[in-house]
Amino acid sequence: MAASLSLTQLSSGNPVYDKYYRQVDPTGSGRVAAADAALFLKRSGLADLVLGKIWDLADSECKGFLNKQQFFIALRLVACAQNGLEVALKSLSLAVSPPKFHDTSSPLLPGGMAIDIPWVVKAEEKMKFDAIFESLAPVGGMLTGDKVKPVLLNSKLPVDVLGRVWELSDLDRDGMLDRDEFAVAMYLVYRALEGEPVPMSLPPPLVPPSKRKKPSVPPLMPLLPSPPSAKDGRSSHTGSKTMPHPPKPAPAPAPTPAASPWVVSPADKAKYDELFSKTDGDMDGLVSGPEVRDIFLKTGLPSATLARIWELCDIGDIGKLTREQFALALYLINQKLSKGLDPPQSLAPEMIPPSDRHSIKQNNTVNLAADFSAIKELDSLSNEIIDLQRAFLDTQSALH
């Protein structure tokens, strides 16, 4: 109710909002069908997952259509997303410029993007970004996440910000960056260092011209806002240029009787196992990000929280979850939903799935959360990384 009152005060009588509403409800019926709303909102250029969340928040009663007030909520949330704000009801009261939608009468590409929009990455910036790109020794014109990661980390930006930079830059979702995608990443990093927010979806002017002839592909699973790594399960099924995954840990022996009891109760485990069986479409005993996407998103939890849970539970660092890891993920989700408990920074001994305890002890890996300090330690400060960081700092100084 508070959100509705706030929106009424902010949007009622606004000619821009009224104009948009008349486009979807020209007869003034007071009702906007889902198909009409979806077609209109798609013109915002936002990713399908973001639009899906906006719809869920606006159609809070799950009626399958929007009244005028609810459509205004959707418009307001689009504006928030376009300005880099969180897509949440609490953002409705924030001051934000009206949303922008592409004119359907202009020539648009499949991704909803005008062909003649100039690229915001200037020629002089592109030259500097290209120099950094070449210094990272690309293979076949591509850089893997492992090569890009130390450069991103050296910016000292928060992990969730860097994760969003990676998601926005990897336009074709292949787990690698080409020269133009890397330029997008560097552009976003430098703007973030200047205090500008990283957008929730890539604005059309930021999409490289070389990518505008390709249909936009919505992210399969926004669960990994950590720096790019081989953990990203989306590249395991599609694309010819996939990131190699670390080897799957060998089957661990059963825990000894003295081991800590598991936090997931047998009753809950049985329920989670049933859901796992329905989710494991290829029946390989593992579920990937795309397979659990709908389950995670329907919880309504923020993507950063889901990301933390995913990274905690992906103990093998392979971009997929075993049956027990999946159960642990649902346990942590339920802890947040029912008790408001945030996922921990690292798994307590009693949280670790029984089948993973031996391998974790063997590898002396206690802190499993993909936080900033842990990733820096994993980089081992090799000479190669030091060189990459130096190149990044030199370029940063030149740009400023």
Side-chain angles (χ1 to χ4, degrees):
M1 178 61 69
S4 297
L5 289 175
S6 171
L7 192 67
T8 300
Q9 296 168 353
L10 291 166
S11 304
S12 181
N14 186 311
V16 176
Y17 283 78
D18 287 336
K19 180 187 74 172
Y20 289 148
Y21 182 76
R22 287 195 299 270
Q23 293 182 32
V24 294
D25 185 18
T27 63
S29 67
R31 175 174 173 150
V32 181
D36 295 333
L39 190 62
F40 181 87
L41 296 176
K42 184 75 174 176
R43 290 164 49 195
S44 66
L46 297 175
D48 287 350
L49 285 175
V50 177
L51 292 176
K53 184 174 182 179
I54 289 173
W55 175 266
D56 289 340
L57 291 172
D59 183 23
S60 58
E61 300 173 356
C62 300
K63 292 182 177 179
F65 64 88
L66 304 179
N67 59 29
K68 186 174 183 178
Q69 181 68 26
Q70 291 170 326
F71 185 72
F72 276 3
I73 289 176
L75 293 179
R76 191 85 180 169
L77 292 172
V78 166
C80 290
Q82 290 178 335
N83 286 274
L85 302 175
E86 182 183 359
V87 178
L89 293 179
K90 65 182 180 181
S91 300
L92 294 175
S93 60
L94 300 177
V96 63
S97 57
K100 296 179 176 61
F101 297 91
H102 302 300
D103 182 2
T104 54
S105 64
S106 63
L108 298 178
L109 292 171
M113 184 189 318
I115 298 174
D116 57 355
I117 295 178
W119 197 21
V120 297
V121 179
K122 306 302 181 184
E124 57 271 20
E125 283 184 310
K126 184 62 162 59
M127 290 178 61
K128 294 181 175 67
F129 298 155
D130 284 349
I132 301 176
F133 181 86
E134 291 299 330
S135 73
L136 301 179
V139 177
M142 307 294 296
L143 290 175
T144 63
D146 288 338
K147 288 188 175 181
V148 178
K149 180 173 66 177
V151 178
L152 295 180
L153 287 176
N154 195 62
S155 70
K156 304 299 190 296
L157 291 171
V159 172
D160 60 335
V161 172
L162 293 177
R164 196 185 309 168
V165 167
W166 174 265
E167 292 287 339
L168 294 174
S169 305
D170 185 15
L171 291 162
D172 48 13
R173 310 296 173 199
D174 61 358
M176 296 184 176
L177 301 184
D178 62 20
R179 187 184 299 269
D180 286 349
E181 290 172 326
F182 182 78
V184 172
M186 290 295 95
Y187 180 92
L188 292 171
V189 164
Y190 281 118
R191 296 306 173 271
L193 289 172
E194 294 171 356
E196 295 184 17
V198 177
M200 296 300 293
S201 63
L202 200 64
L206 245 179
V207 179
S210 62
K211 302 292 181 183
R212 295 182 184 181
K213 294 181 180 180
K214 302 175 182 179
S216 62
V217 181
L220 294 179
M221 189 59 180
L223 291 181
L224 305 176
S226 59
S229 72
K231 293 183 70 169
D232 197 338
R234 68 189 174 194
S235 62
S236 62
H237 296 290
T238 60
S240 58
K241 301 169 295 198
T242 57
M243 296 176 66
H245 292 308
K248 184 179 178 180
T256 61
S260 303
W262 197 24
V263 291
V264 180
S265 68
D268 285 342
K269 177 64 163 53
K271 291 189 298 183
Y272 299 154
D273 281 350
E274 183 178 352
L275 183 56
F276 180 92
S277 298
K278 295 178 181 178
T279 307
D280 184 15
D282 52 8
M283 302 182 68
D284 63 349
L286 298 167
V287 290
S288 64
E291 287 177 314
V292 303
R293 166 179 173 260
D294 289 341
I295 296 173
F296 274 54
L297 292 180
K298 286 179 180 178
T299 65
L301 293 179
S303 60
T305 301
L306 295 174
R308 171 68 66 185
I309 291 173
W310 175 274
E311 303 219 39
L312 286 169
C313 298
D314 184 12
I315 294 171
D317 198 17
I318 61 172
K320 296 183 179 183
L321 303 182
T322 65
R323 185 180 295 269
E324 287 188 351
Q325 292 165 357
F326 177 76
L328 176 62
L330 294 186
Y331 167 83
L332 294 175
I333 286 174
N334 283 330
Q335 288 290 100
K336 177 63 176 176
L337 291 174
S338 62
K339 301 180 181 179
L341 298 177
D342 291 323
Q345 289 298 309
S346 60
L347 293 180
E350 65 272 13
M351 290 182 175
I352 300 171
S355 60
D356 287 306
R357 294 180 181 182
H358 180 76
S359 58
I360 289 176
K361 183 178 179 181
Q362 245 183 358
N363 295 324
N364 194 28
T365 307
V366 177
N367 186 356
L368 300 174
D371 56 35
F372 184 81
S373 60
I375 298 173
K376 290 196 70 175
E377 291 170 4
L378 292 175
D379 286 333
S380 70
L381 298 178
S382 66
N383 290 331
E384 177 186 4
I385 292 174
I386 293 175
D387 291 340
L388 300 183
Q389 293 174 336
R390 186 179 296 116
F392 184 81
L393 286 174
D394 291 345
T395 306
Q396 182 176 355
S397 300
L399 285 177
H400 291 281

